[in-house]
């Protein structure tokens, strides 16, 4: 800030339900590689051809990636010859929820190309997909946010590919109230889930339940979730499932948990428990019930209990690599041995090669061919600039890519940053709107932009110090800016530099319509400065599905800012003490300030040591009317029972500070020291009231 301030501040057992027995014995055990497969978005037999609409509008599904279903999804059984999705149907491109639902639930076959970010309404909605469908993302632009897909009893011949399905998270890690999955299947068969990015949902990422069979799950990223992939919910032991080349990381359990599966073939998967994160695995691959599992050529990094087997289950291991793992690593059992190659052909990769293969190849691929649309008009594609510190991109630094954006550009420019640590200062000037900076890795932790300037750091040219705003690692002055899937950090060492002003900003925004989606913003004091270009200018910022980390006034400024469905992490001070303030708004009168909604505030700090905020009258300006509202948010015991504080001689009670329907051990009843909104007041303090005529949308 511009004024000097004081530096002191169970694992739940799968529910089993009896369901009708599905025939589980493979019929024609035809090799996928030997069949007359080929063509667009799926599998074509010798006597089948795609309709002209599909063939003419799409050249290929994924460049360099097979279009042929493999594993158990390729086996002929239950009257279905392999899995080919909507091969005989019309190709449509969808960009709205209404169109996606219309075609996904239709009785006739369709190839449905998702070419935009589609937000589920209500949150948690799962579209009931009908048989004979291919649902595929166009490049990396197909995002399903806040919900997913449901395949019910008897639904068959479905391909879900190249999509990002994310962010139905409701602020509770082991969420037993919201059954919001990315993909749930109850009694379906012949399903291929391939090259998707599934993350940050409320309950689980994939649920294969009630005898779902002839399922292949391949080349997906599964992350940022308590429960990754659960299989079972049945007394029957009939299902046949192939799970290969999946990168499972930042998950705790069900990685997968495989209950009562007749033939479970897991190979070339990469299970990673990253050191230094708060998410710890409780187990990895689990053969439970009467499952008969073959587990081969997979790579387990840092996992706790990497391989677990029930006494009633069978598990055969071969060729796996275990690095830094602890706890159970089991195999054995009395079940009959079986060989996956009697059902389909496959050639596993070497286990040692799996991490590199999946880091580069799992998840959505960018080279999906453009298609014509009968549902919507496809928007002009964004320009993409690539950044890689190793020289494999167009630019080695993020700032070099920003410099390459033309002044006053009229359309979106995406700066795709490969995994790595970029120690640099980045500034997006006001004459370069419509810029997106996004990490291309599997996690927002993979790509980090970091620097260590503080307010009191001397400038190299000897012209003074940077000041608070000038200390930012990333500074955004351009409207319509977006950041996704990366970390922005300021790692200034307060302990080593107590001689200078230690406000150290990670990200500063002074623009309108700023969208921060799935990012980590990390620092100590003054982490995130949400500002405006001037006192009379509007500046709106929407932050979702993200983490903000700090200790003193670490979300501050005069912008109209919303933090939604995110985690605010409280951090101890440099000397190990717990004391701080979450927000310090400096809102202009008649403007909206900072809104924290549907989120979680917690951290490894002492109980009752943090204020929710204090009122910053920047420069002693008595005309300001600072505002913070915290609503529908889970508060840990770190929050003080009197959560608001005065600042700079101004009483917070003369400004705008309130809560509404918060929960958790840090929540409290209404009092003169803890104002609560009435229902009527809360109706006027919704997210839409903050954002006005702007509806944030990833692009």
């Amino acid at each position: 800030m511009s004024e000097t301030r004081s530096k002191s501040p169970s694992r739940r057992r799968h529910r089993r339900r009896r369901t009708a027995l599905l025939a589980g014995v493979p019929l024609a055990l035809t090799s996928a590689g030997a069949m007359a497969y080929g063509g667009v978005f799926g599998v074509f037999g010798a006597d089948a051809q795609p309709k002209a609409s599909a063939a003419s509008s799409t050249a290929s599904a994924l460049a360099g990636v097979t279009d042929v279903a493999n594993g158990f999804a390729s086996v002929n059984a239950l009257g279905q010859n392999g899995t080919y999705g909507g091969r005989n149907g019309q190709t449509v491109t969808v960009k709205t929820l209404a169109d996606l639902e219309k075609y996904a639930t239709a009785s006739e076959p369709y190839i449905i190309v998702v070419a935009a970010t589609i937000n589920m309404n209500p949150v948690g909605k799962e579209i009931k997909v009908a048989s004979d469908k291919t649902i595929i993302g166009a490049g990396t632009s197909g995002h399903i946010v806040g919900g997913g897909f449901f395949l019910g009893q008897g639904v068959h011949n479905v391909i879900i590919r190249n999509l990002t399905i994310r962010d139905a998270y409701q602020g509770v890690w082991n969420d037993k109230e919201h059954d919001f999955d990315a993909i749930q299947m109850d009694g379906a068969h012949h399903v291929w889930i391939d090259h998707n990015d599934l993350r940050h949902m409320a309950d689980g990422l994939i649920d294969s339940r009630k005898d779902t069979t002839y399922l292949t799950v391949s080349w997906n990223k599964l992350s940022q979730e308590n429960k990754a992939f659960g299989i079972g919910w049945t007394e029957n032991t009939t299902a046949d499932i192939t799970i290969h080349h999946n990168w499972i990381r930042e998950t705790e359990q069900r990685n997968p948990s495989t209950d009562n599966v007749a033939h479970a073939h897991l190979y070339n998967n990469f299970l990673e428990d990253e050191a230094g994160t708060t998410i710890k695995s409780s187990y990895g691959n689990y053969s439970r019930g009467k499952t008969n599992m073959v587990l081969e050529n997979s790579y387990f990094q840092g996992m706790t209990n990497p391989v677990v087997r029930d006494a009633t289950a069978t598990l055969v291991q071969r060729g796996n690599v275990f690095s830094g793992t602890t706890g159970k690593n089991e195999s054995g059992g009395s079940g009959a041995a079986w060989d996956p190659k009697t059902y389909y052909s496959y050639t596993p990769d070497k286990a040692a090669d799996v991490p590199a293969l999946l880091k580069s190849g799992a998840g959505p691929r960018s080279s999906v061919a453009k298609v014509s649309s009968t549902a919507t008009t496809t928007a002009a594609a964004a320009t993409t600039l690539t950044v890689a510190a190793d020289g494999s991109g167009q630019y080695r630094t993020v700032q070099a890519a920003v410099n390459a954006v033309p002044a006053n550009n009229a359309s979106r420019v995406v700066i795709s940053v490969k995994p790595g640590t970029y120690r640099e200062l980045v500034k997006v000037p006001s004459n370069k709107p419509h810029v997106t900076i996004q990490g291309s890795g599997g996690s927002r932790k993979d790509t980090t932009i970091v620097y260590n300037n503080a307010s009191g750091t001397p400038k190299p040219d000897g012209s003074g110090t940077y000041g608070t705003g000038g200390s930012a690692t990333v500074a955004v002055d351009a409207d319509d800016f977006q950041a996704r899937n990366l970390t922005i950090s300021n790692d200034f060492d307060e302990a080593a530099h107590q001689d200078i002003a230690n406000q150290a900003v990670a990200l500063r925004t002074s623009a309108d319509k700023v969208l921060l989606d799935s990012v980590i913003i990390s620092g100590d004091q003054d982490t995130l400065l949400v500002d405006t270009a001037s006192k009379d200018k509007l500046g709106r910022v929407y932050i979702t599905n993200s983490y903000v980390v700090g200790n003193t006034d670490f979300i501050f400024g005069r912008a109209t800012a919303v933090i939604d469905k995110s985690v605010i992490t409280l951090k101890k001070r440099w000397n190990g003490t717990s004391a701080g303030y979450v927000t310090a708004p400096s809102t202009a009168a008649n403007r909206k300030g900072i809104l924290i909604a549907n989120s979680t505030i917690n951290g490894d700090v002492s109980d009752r040591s943090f204020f929710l905020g204090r009122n910053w009258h920047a420069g002693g300006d008595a005309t300001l009317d600072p505002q913070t509202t915290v609503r529908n948010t889970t508060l840990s015991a770190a929050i003080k029972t009197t959560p608001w504080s005065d600042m700079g001689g101004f009483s917070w009670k003369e400004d705008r500070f309130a809560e509404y329907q918060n929960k958790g051990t840090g929540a409290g009843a209404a009092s003169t020291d803890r104002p609560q909104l009435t229902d009527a007041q809360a109706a006027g303090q919704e997210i839409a009231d903050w954002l006005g005529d702007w509806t944030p949308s990833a692009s």
Side-chain angles (χ1 to χ4, degrees):
M1 299 184 186
S2 59
E3 72 180 65
T4 301
R5 306 185 315 279
S6 169
K7 297 177 185 175
S8 61
S10 96
R11 297 201 305 245
R12 180 178 53 179
R13 181 75 180 175
H14 291 180
R15 294 161 296 180
R16 294 180 172 181
R17 301 175 184 171
R18 292 189 176 274
T19 57
L21 179 65
L22 289 176
V25 180
L27 301 178
L29 303 181
T30 307
S31 162
M35 295 181 73
Y37 290 170
V40 179
F41 293 121
V43 184
F44 303 100
D47 59 348
Q49 296 294 327
K51 285 190 174 181
S53 62
S56 61
S57 64
T58 309
S60 65
L62 301 172
V65 178
T66 178
D67 292 336
V68 177
N70 49 63
F72 274 113
S74 70
V75 171
N76 296 352
L78 302 178
Q80 177 65 37
N81 295 331
T83 302
Y84 47 82
R87 73 176 184 193
N88 290 325
Q90 185 180 10
T91 297
V92 294
T93 299
V94 301
K95 300 176 76 175
T96 67
L97 175 57
D99 281 337
L100 175 59
E101 188 163 23
K102 171 184 175 181
Y103 292 107
T105 60
S107 58
E108 57 266 43
Y110 278 103
I111 297 169
I112 304 165
V113 181
V114 181
T117 295
I118 295 177
N119 290 284
M120 290 298 191
N121 186 16
V123 172
K125 180 183 181 68
E126 293 178 0
I127 292 176
K128 295 181 179 179
V129 180
S131 299
D132 305 317
K133 301 293 183 296
T134 295
I135 306 174
I136 186 166
T140 57
S141 66
H143 285 235
I144 308 298
V145 179
F149 298 105
F150 175 81
L151 282 63
Q153 184 70 41
V155 170
H156 59 278
N157 191 31
V158 174
I159 298 172
I160 299 175
R161 282 188 106 186
N162 218 57
L163 292 169
T164 297
I165 307 176
R166 59 181 174 87
D167 297 324
Y169 184 66
Q170 297 297 293
V172 178
W173 178 242
N174 189 0
D175 196 334
K176 299 181 181 180
E177 179 180 352
H178 302 97
D179 187 17
F180 300 165
D181 303 312
I183 302 171
Q184 181 174 308
M185 298 161 285
D186 281 4
H189 67 93
H190 287 89
V191 180
W192 186 22
I193 301 170
D194 180 67
H195 276 94
N196 300 290
D197 182 350
L198 312 174
R199 52 185 154 93
H200 211 228
M201 302 297 285
D203 180 49
L205 299 176
I206 302 175
D207 270 359
S208 177
R209 317 190 319 170
K210 301 182 181 179
D211 307 306
T212 292
T213 189
Y214 299 106
L215 167 67
T216 297
V217 178
S218 57
W219 292 98
N220 300 286
K221 297 178 183 177
L222 290 81
S223 65
Q224 302 169 32
E225 187 69 27
N226 182 17
K227 304 162 188 170
F229 185 177
I231 304 168
W233 290 265
T234 178
E235 298 288 349
N236 304 316
T237 307
T238 59
D240 292 343
I241 296 174
T242 305
I243 302 165
H244 72 89
H245 289 93
N246 298 283
W247 184 9
I248 304 174
R249 64 188 301 199
E250 294 185 273
T251 60
E252 183 176 337
Q253 56 181 315
R254 301 185 187 171
N255 293 306
S257 171
T258 310
D259 195 7
N260 289 340
V261 174
H263 301 100
H265 184 202
L266 282 62
Y267 72 95
N268 284 152
N269 297 298
F270 179 30
L271 276 66
E272 182 182 18
D273 193 340
E274 290 188 88
T277 69
T278 58
I279 301 173
K280 301 297 182 184
S281 60
S282 58
Y283 62 91
N285 293 161
Y286 190 173
S287 181
R288 67 193 303 170
K290 297 180 181 178
T291 291
N292 196 329
M293 178 184 292
V294 173
L295 170 61
E296 57 183 337
N297 288 38
S298 290
Y299 198 108
F300 297 81
Q301 176 67 54
M303 299 292 293
T304 302
N305 301 316
V307 184
V308 182
R309 179 184 72 87
D310 279 355
T312 54
T314 297
L315 196 157
V316 174
Q317 282 203 50
R318 51 180 178 248
N320 301 305
V321 171
F322 300 89
S323 176
T325 60
T326 58
K328 295 180 179 180
N329 188 351
E330 301 175 330
S331 59
S334 59
W338 69 284
D339 182 359
K341 289 185 178 179
T342 63
Y343 294 82
Y344 51 83
S345 66
Y346 72 101
T347 303
D349 292 300
K350 295 179 181 178
D353 296 338
V354 164
L357 280 172
L358 296 188
K359 286 180 179 181
S360 63
R365 315 302 290 163
S366 61
S367 50
V368 176
K370 293 180 182 178
V371 296
S372 60
S373 168
T374 60
T376 63
T377 301
T378 302
T383 300
T384 298
L385 308 177
T386 59
V387 177
D390 63 4
S392 60
Q394 295 167 279
Y395 305 94
R396 287 184 178 270
T397 68
V398 179
Q399 187 61 54
V402 172
N403 294 343
V405 177
N408 302 310
N409 51 298
S411 60
R412 177 70 51 188
V413 177
V414 175
I415 298 173
S416 179
V417 188
K418 292 189 177 182
T421 299
Y422 297 80
R423 182 163 286 278
E424 59 174 302
L425 298 173
V426 177
K427 183 172 183 178
V428 184
S430 60
N431 64 348
K432 295 189 177 185
H434 319 305
V435 168
T436 296
I437 301 176
Q438 66 181 28
S440 64
S443 165
R444 50 195 152 203
K445 298 183 183 120
D446 288 349
T447 303
T448 298
I449 305 172
V450 59
Y451 213 74
N452 61 348
N453 283 338
S455 178
T457 302
K459 292 182 179 179
D461 61 5
S463 61
T465 60
Y466 281 98
T468 300
S471 71
T473 299
V474 176
V476 176
D477 297 323
D479 291 345
D480 195 21
F481 172 85
Q482 299 184 6
R484 294 198 296 272
N485 197 42
L486 51 75
T487 295
I488 299 171
S489 178
N490 190 316
D491 63 355
F492 172 72
D493 188 346
E494 288 189 51
H497 294 286
Q498 282 293 295
D499 56 325
I500 63 175
N502 58 11
Q503 295 92 343
V505 176
L507 173 64
R508 174 182 64 78
T509 69
S510 62
D512 192 30
K513 299 181 180 178
V514 173
L515 170 60
L516 308 175
D517 184 2
S518 194
V519 300
I520 298 171
I521 308 166
S522 179
D524 288 307
Q525 183 166 344
D526 291 7
T527 302
L528 173 62
L529 171 53
V530 285
D531 206 355
T532 65
S534 62
K535 183 179 174 180
D536 62 339
K537 293 281 189 180
L538 178 63
R540 289 167 291 181
V541 180
Y542 180 67
I543 304 168
T544 186
N545 309 308
S546 295
Y547 292 79
V548 186
V549 183
N551 48 44
T552 302
D553 303 332
F554 62 99
I555 303 168
F556 71 108
R558 65 186 171 206
T560 297
V562 175
I563 300 173
D564 181 28
K565 294 182 291 187
S566 295
V567 177
I568 297 170
T569 303
L570 310 175
K571 184 178 179 182
K572 290 181 179 179
R573 298 303 306 270
W574 63 274
N575 58 5
T577 60
S578 295
Y581 308 83
V582 177
T583 67
S586 59
T587 323
N590 302 315
R591 285 270 172 84
K592 297 290 188 183
I594 296 171
L595 172 65
I596 298 172
N598 314 308
S599 294
T600 298
I601 302 177
N602 59 22
D604 184 16
V605 296
S606 300
D607 289 357
R608 311 305 177 193
S609 60
F610 271 73
F611 291 95
L612 287 176
R614 56 180 177 172
N615 53 335
W616 179 33
H617 284 257
D621 187 346
T623 69
L624 298 179
D625 192 11
Q627 180 183 32
T628 294
T629 297
V630 181
R631 60 176 296 166
N632 307 104
T633 288
T634 301
L635 308 180
S636 78
I639 301 304
K640 289 177 176 286
T641 55
T642 54
W644 308 106
S645 178
D646 299 339
M647 183 180 180
F650 292 89
S651 170
W652 68 266
K653 292 184 178 181
E654 300 299 319
D655 294 312
R656 297 175 290 169
F657 293 88
E659 299 175 75
Y660 180 69
Q661 291 192 356
N662 293 323
K663 58 185 178 180
T665 52
S671 71
T672 56
D673 291 322
R674 194 156 198 174
Q676 304 284 330
L677 300 176
T678 64
D679 290 345
Q681 289 170 330
Q685 294 200 33
E686 303 279 2
I687 292 173
D689 298 307
W690 251 252
L691 301 183
D693 62 358
W694 175 44
T695 302
S697 177
S699 60

